Amino acid sequence: SRVVPNEAMYTVAVNSCIADGESSQAWQLIQEMHTRKLRPNIYTYNGAIKSCRKHDNMKLAIVLLNDMIRHNVAANNYTRDLALNLCSTKGQRNLVNRLLKETVRSKYEA
């Protein structure tokens, strides 16, 4: 029988790619998830963003944060702390402001 990939399998694969410095492959996997109608979850993004910080890949971290916002994946405290730290040290004030607005809106919509 054929194994059908699910969100957990993709999350492990994404995080493995980024840990190995394969950021373009990780981003392709996230895009593939969207294509397959699978939703990357907060753990997919948190692991990827944490690895981006470790490998100083700010460009991908910003892409991932924007993708999270675009697909309505609610940030948790860990994500917000990581993103705010990353963005504020790299001069990404607009993204910091968007993330804070999304955070405030999600708290009031819950």
Side-chain angles (χ1 to χ4, degrees), residues 28-108:
Q28 287 175 352
L29 288 171
I30 290 173
Q31 291 175 317
E32 185 177 312
M33 287 180 78
H34 293 308
T35 301
R36 291 178 175 254
K37 306 294 186 219
L38 296 172
R39 184 179 165 139
N41 60 33
I42 192 63
Y43 302 106
T44 311
Y45 288 107
N46 278 352
I49 294 166
K50 181 181 177 184
S51 293
C52 287
R53 181 178 178 198
K54 179 180 176 184
H55 295 286
D56 200 29
N57 190 343
M58 185 62 190
K59 184 177 179 180
L60 181 58
I62 291 170
V63 168
L64 290 163
L65 289 167
N66 281 316
D67 194 62
M68 252 180 79
I69 292 167
R70 183 174 44 257
H71 289 95
N72 298 313
V73 176
N76 60 18
N77 287 337
Y78 179 79
T79 313
R80 286 188 287 277
D81 291 346
L82 185 60
L84 293 173
N85 180 277
L86 242 170
C87 293
S88 63
T89 60
K90 300 291 184 175
Q92 295 291 324
R93 289 189 189 123
N94 290 337
L95 186 55
V96 170
N97 289 335
R98 278 181 57 206
L99 187 62
L100 288 173
K101 285 178 187 176
E102 293 296 323
T103 300
V104 169
R105 186 173 68 202
S106 68
K107 283 186 178 184
Y108 287 109

